[in-house]
Every structure is written in C-alpha cells, then in structure tokens.
Amino acid sequence: MQRDHDNLRAYQGRWERETLGANLSSRPERKDKFTTISGKAVKGVYTPLDNAELDYERDLANPGDYPFTRGIHATGYRSRPWTLRIFAGFGGAEETNARYKYLIERGNMGLSVAFDLPTLMGYDSDAPEATGEFGKCGVAVSCLRDMEILFDGIPLDQISTSMTINSPAPIIWAYYIALAQKRGIPLDQLRGTLQNDILKEYIAQKEYIFPPKPSMRLVTDTVEYASRLLPNWNSISVSGYHIREAGSTAAQEVAFTLLDGMEYVRWALERGLDVDAFAPRISFFFNAHNDFFEEIAKYRAARRIWARQMRESFGAKDPRSWLMRFHTQTAGVSLTAQQPEVNLIRVAIQALAGVLGGTQSLHTNSMDEALALPSEHAATLAMRTQQVILEESGVANTVDPLGGSYFVEVLTDEIEAEVNDYFRRVADLGGVLAALDAGFFMSEIAEASYRYSREVEAGERGIVGVNKYAESQAEAKIPILKMDPQGYERQAARLARLRRERDNEKTVRTLDALRQACRGEDNVMPHLIACAEAEATLGETVDVMREVFGVYEEPLIV
C-alpha cells in the first residue's frame, strides 16, 4: 500500500513538472482560472491519494443504500426517468391553460405553475397595489374560478402539479383542493408539490407577507393537513434555487436550504407530529448552475447530509424519511440577453449536471428568458433538451456514472465539510430564526455575490457573449412572447362578476371563521378551503390574515 502511495506521489510530481514547467515559481499564478464558480480551488489532477480519507462503505455505499450519496433509487433512471417539467405561467388563466396543454402534447410529464407578482404577494389582480403587474412573471390566480379555468380539461388525478408560491401558499393550495373536491376527486389521489418555503423568502427572494413565526405556523398547518389527508402531496419544497439565484455559493445553497428544511421538521415535531408521518413528503428544489462538476458534487453531498440528519439527529426510523427527493431547475441567473441562442448550450450542460447528480424532476429554462417570458418555440426547445439527454445521450443507462471519480468525490467531501461548518455557525447564533434576525444569511450571500460579480467585471471569469466573444454587430433577434392585451380587462371583469354573483353573506361568515382560527390554534387549512368554496378572493383572505398576523418588515442590517 505504501509503495502504491509513493508511486502516486511520484506521478503527481512528474505531472506538475511536465505540464506546468519545472520552475513553477517563475510563472504567474492563475488562481482565478482554476477555481469553481464558488471560488473553490481546483487541482490539476486528482488521484486516490485525494480520496484517502473516503470510506466507501460509510460515505458512498451503493445507489439506493444509506446515506444515498449515489442516489436514492437502486436502479436510477433505468426503471423510471426523471419527471420532465417546464415551468410555465403568464397572463390570465386561459392563456396558461393553453400553454399547459401544448406542453403536455409535447412530452411534459408534470405541470409547474408560475404565478404573477400580485398573486405571490397576496393581492387580487384588480387591487391598486397590483397595477401594471398582471400576468407579467406568471399567471394571475385571484379566486377559485381562476383555478378552474387554469386546469380546465386537465385531469388532476392523472398528472402531478407543482406550485411555486410561498407566503399565500396555503390559500392557493386551498383553491386547488376545492377544485378537486368540486370534481369529485378523492384527495388521496392528488399528486404534486407546494413550494411553501417561507424561510428562503426572508433569506433570498423577499416575497414575504407575514412575520416569520405566524408564517411558520401556516407552513406547519399545511404539513399536518397533508400528512393526514393528502399522502401523495409534498407539502413543502425546500428551495435552494432562489438562494443560489441571489448569488450564493454551491455550499451555501446546500447549507441554508438544509437548515431551512430542518427548521420545518422541528416545528412539525413541536406540533406533535411523528417524524415518519411527514418527513417522506418533504421535497427539495435546487439550482443547476454552470460549474458542471461542482453542481454534481453539490447534489451528492446534499443527499448524504440530509440522510444523516434525519436518521441521526431527528431519529427517523422509516428509510423513506432519510431520502432527499429533489427537483432541479437550470440557472435563470446565468442566462444572457446577448446572443440568446447560446443559452441553449448553457441549459443543456446544466441539465446534464442535474441528471448526473440524480434529480427526480427537471425544468429546463428557455433561451429567451433574459428577454421575456418563454415563447412556445423556446419552451419546446427546452423540453427537447431534456428529451435528447434522456433518449440519446446514454447517461441514464447506469446509476451514478461519476461515482468514484477522484475529483467528484473530493468536491463532494469539501462541500459536505463546508455545509457542516455553516450548521455549527448558525447553531452558535441561536438557530435559523435568530440568524435571520442577525442578517447572517443575507450577508453571507451578499459577500459571495460580490466576489463573483467582481470576477466577471474584471474579466477573470468569462461569460460567453458578454465579456468574452461578444458580437460587435447588432445582436440577432429572436421571436418573443406577446401576451393578450385584453387579458387584464377579462380578469378584472371576472372578479367584478364574482363579487356580484356569489353569496356574499356566506363569504363573510367563512372569512370570520378564518379570522378566529388565525387568532387561535386551529389548523387553518379547513377554514381556507371553506373560504375558497365560498368564493373568497385571494386578497380578501390575505387581508384577514394580515389583520391577525401583521406584516413583516425586514430589519435594517448595518
């Protein structure tokens, strides 16, 4: 064994002399060139010596075996491909419904709903606060009637639905449940995911309404309700995606996401829920950025850490509670308005990293998203990217084909060590909510984002079409989506008609009952579903909750 190690050391020394030159000190260092996007130094060559501390049985095992570094399923994609999704939503419910049907016809396996900003912030489309924002970054959903139109002709018991919404998530979910009940679909047949990750809103995306503690109460209400009545529904999708989009490193994305996930587990346990009754339905949502190997290592480290935390820290007995099931979306922040066709190449590489990292579900961004919401043509190409990877590349033929790679295993270990260090630092601050109050997460992300931006501005990190290989002539133009100019008028008219036609006395009674539930300790989900069935609007429902819970104002961090 010692002879083998000596031979490897000799090989490394010979490689450095022959490749980099005998007099290494005479050459300028290029640290910027040989680092990951997160700033982690990358060696010129990796050997088994770099994995000397790796315990293959403890840290790797086989795919499907604890701690799931190599994947949560023994057969990987050989038995079932990842779910091919395209995130979609724009304008009114009618336009988005047509897009969903278009995508389903072209191979989309699951629906992923993007909501517009007024909906995300809890306002009706015709509220003064929503002026000028109707349908611009997603679909407008202000009431049960909107939800009915959005899913018209789509069998809710045959397709999974992911909904990217957070602060008003329980209300939007109540509309979906009320729609299913109206169609006579048993709740245990509904499959899907509610993002419902309010902690990352305070950390990164900033689309919050209520303060943290009542917000966490609402999340726990959904976890409890799902664990009892919707066994096939993921009540939380703990999201690192937006943390990464805000500028975090790969390790920060994993650390802050898992810290949020563990905080949700603690709140559910304090509610009196058994960990194995809800943990199997917690899912995750990660970014796929440009640094191919770092992203793959990130997913592998996250799986391993979560499994160990759930089994060793929270005492989960059911192996399903140890599994990190996650959705991946390619990095929207990496897309450029310059030379937008190049985005197709970026997305393909990012998607491949997600697949090689073992994702259960994948969304590929469209090439035009730095310019507008995706056109049908661009969305189709995004879907075809996944289909080529699945059908033609061969990467799905074997499970974790990069497992055992000297480089990948070192990166995986390094990310795990950095994540565990963040766990200790947050614990020293008093936990997640205390770290939020101290501005810890925001300052860490801001520092990482600043470093990356400086590297790009200095030309130390190349962005094709921006600071490298830029076109001197006018940029090529591509067709972009045109929304229905009459969409807002149609939406406003529908809301006005709803307020005239509904039983307003019933609506007021259900909102009063919700108010009392919010003041007390009852689970709010049955009350929200009753409000949805009584045709209370999103804004009316949120107003009641604002009255009881208050509105969050971010502390000034100096």
Side-chain angles (χ1 to χ4, degrees):
M1 179 65 72
Q2 183 60 46
R3 181 183 299 173
D4 291 341
H5 282 197
D6 290 343
N7 289 339
L8 285 167
R9 289 192 184 95
Y11 168 76
Q12 285 182 313
R14 186 171 67 252
W15 182 89
E16 289 179 348
R17 288 192 300 274
E18 294 175 354
T19 306
L20 302 180
N23 188 4
L24 296 178
S25 62
S26 67
R27 296 195 173 202
E29 291 187 358
R30 297 173 62 199
K31 293 180 181 179
D32 58 283
K33 183 68 175 177
F34 304 119
T35 62
T36 68
I37 282 180
S38 299
K40 195 177 298 296
V42 177
K43 293 172 56 176
V45 67
Y46 289 79
T47 75
L49 284 177
D50 297 296
N51 299 123
E53 301 300 319
L54 184 67
D55 184 324
Y56 279 74
E57 185 174 348
R58 183 196 69 208
D59 297 328
L60 294 186
N62 289 319
D65 291 342
Y66 179 90
F68 311 106
T69 310
R70 303 197 64 193
I72 63 173
H73 298 302
T75 54
Y77 303 129
R78 290 169 66 96
S79 55
R80 180 180 177 181
W82 64 89
T83 301
L84 285 73
R85 293 184 187 272
I86 295 294
F87 189 43
F90 60 92
E94 297 89 345
E95 295 168 276
T96 299
N97 174 263
R99 174 63 64 86
Y100 289 159
K101 291 174 179 175
Y102 175 88
L103 292 171
I104 290 170
E105 290 172 356
R106 282 152 183 80
N108 203 57
M109 295 178 178
L111 300 179
S112 190
V113 185
F115 295 94
D116 72 355
L117 189 58
T119 305
L120 294 170
M121 299 303 296
Y123 294 110
D124 291 339
S125 297
D126 58 355
E129 296 87 346
T131 301
E133 292 294 337
F134 167 79
K136 287 190 174 179
C137 68
V139 63
V141 175
S142 299
C143 59
L144 178 59
R145 296 186 189 187
D146 289 340
M147 191 68 78
E148 289 182 89
I149 296 168
L150 184 62
F151 291 100
D152 180 54
I154 296 173
L156 302 186
D157 53 346
Q158 296 177 32
I159 196 163
S160 69
T161 302
S162 174
M163 292 186 281
T164 302
I165 194 158
N166 295 285
S167 205
I171 305 168
I172 294 297
W173 193 37
Y175 288 147
Y176 191 86
I177 291 170
L179 173 59
Q181 291 178 326
K182 192 171 183 179
R183 292 187 184 179
I185 299 172
L187 298 188
D188 61 5
Q189 292 184 19
L190 295 179
R191 294 181 298 114
T193 300
L194 194 65
Q195 187 164 104
N196 203 22
D197 177 7
I198 195 59
L199 289 174
K200 72 96 171 53
E201 295 299 331
Y202 303 115
I203 291 173
Q205 190 163 243
K206 310 302 182 184
E207 289 170 355
Y208 43 69
I209 300 174
F210 317 116
K213 287 186 178 179
S215 295
M216 289 294 290
R217 177 255 178 106
L218 294 175
V219 171
T220 309
D221 283 353
T222 62
V223 171
E224 181 180 42
Y225 193 81
S227 68
R228 293 176 177 172
L229 295 173
L230 285 87
N232 295 312
W233 195 275
N234 302 318
S235 52
I236 309 175
S237 175
V238 194
S239 298
Y241 183 87
H242 308 89
I243 293 171
R244 193 65 181 280
E245 292 285 285
S248 80
T249 66
Q252 287 170 348
E253 179 187 357
V254 174
F256 300 166
T257 304
L258 269 58
L259 282 163
D260 289 350
M262 290 187 286
E263 189 69 10
Y264 295 128
V265 171
R266 291 187 185 96
W267 277 69
L269 292 175
E270 289 173 5
R271 177 69 63 89
L273 300 179
D274 181 89
V275 66
D276 290 319
F278 66 85
R281 302 314 302 179
I282 295 176
S283 66
F284 290 81
F285 174 24
F286 289 113
N287 199 297
H289 217 297
N290 282 336
D291 200 303
F292 186 69
F293 290 106
E294 183 174 55
E295 295 303 286
I296 294 166
K298 176 185 77 179
Y299 305 130
R300 301 171 86 252
R303 256 195 311 269
R304 187 159 79 200
I305 298 167
W306 182 252
R308 287 174 171 161
Q309 288 292 329
M310 292 308 297
R311 191 168 87 165
E312 297 169 14
S313 298
F314 292 103
K317 301 293 191 295
D318 187 342
R320 296 178 305 155
S321 299
W322 310 335
L323 304 181
M324 169 175 279
R325 297 169 300 107
F326 67 95
H327 169 72
T328 302
Q329 180 176 341
T330 56
V333 73
S334 73
L335 303 183
T336 64
Q338 301 93 331
Q339 302 180 35
E341 295 94 338
V342 176
N343 293 328
L344 289 166
I345 303 161
R346 292 188 179 98
V347 168
I349 294 170
Q350 294 164 3
L352 185 59
V355 170
L356 290 172
T359 190
Q360 278 65 64
S361 173
L362 179 63
H363 162 74
T364 33
N365 289 327
S366 299
M367 66 175 175
D368 54 359
E369 291 190 43
L371 301 168
L373 291 170
S375 67
E376 285 189 350
H377 175 65
T380 300
L381 288 175
M383 176 58 65
R384 295 289 181 257
T385 301
Q386 294 198 49
Q387 290 164 336
V388 168
I389 293 173
L390 176 62
E391 305 292 347
E392 300 183 24
S393 72
V395 298
N397 290 345
T398 190
V399 189
D400 188 31
L402 292 179
S405 157
Y406 305 140
F407 181 37
V408 169
E409 299 304 349
V410 167
L411 277 177
T412 302
D413 286 351
E414 289 178 349
I415 290 173
E416 181 178 23
E418 197 171 343
V419 168
N420 286 330
D421 183 61
Y422 270 116
F423 287 178
R424 288 187 289 271
R425 293 171 67 186
V426 170
D428 289 344
L429 288 169
V432 171
L433 296 187
L436 275 177
D437 288 340
F440 173 76
F441 300 111
M442 292 76 87
S443 63
E444 288 291 304
I445 294 171
E447 184 177 335
S449 179
Y450 178 71
R451 174 194 57 77
Y452 177 80
S453 297
R454 286 293 301 271
E455 290 176 356
V456 173
E457 290 169 5
E460 296 169 355
R461 192 168 296 281
I463 306 295
V464 174
V466 178
N467 64 1
K468 294 282 182 75
Y469 315 110
E471 299 284 356
S472 56
Q473 67 270 28
E475 295 286 347
K477 294 188 180 298
I478 59 173
I480 62 174
L481 177 71
K482 302 294 184 185
M483 290 195 295
D484 183 355
Q486 303 303 314
Y488 174 75
E489 285 74 13
R490 188 170 57 245
Q491 175 77 354
R494 181 158 58 241
L495 284 169
R497 186 166 60 251
L498 175 147
R499 295 181 184 112
R500 290 194 307 269
E501 295 175 349
R502 70 186 178 184
D503 182 342
N504 280 293
E505 290 185 2
K506 181 180 179 181
T507 303
V508 170
R509 285 197 305 271
T510 59
L511 289 171
D512 285 341
L514 171 65
R515 184 179 290 105
Q516 294 307 312
C518 291
R519 288 172 176 163
E521 297 182 356
D522 288 354
N523 190 307
V524 300
M525 280 309 303
H527 298 280
L528 290 174
I529 294 168
C531 289
E533 293 171 337
E535 299 201 274
T537 68
L538 173 66
E540 291 167 340
T541 310
V542 170
D543 282 346
V544 167
M545 301 170 87
R546 283 194 187 99
E547 175 189 325
V548 177
F549 297 142
V551 176
Y552 180 68
E553 294 184 9
E554 190 170 47
L556 178 63
I557 306 297
V558 180

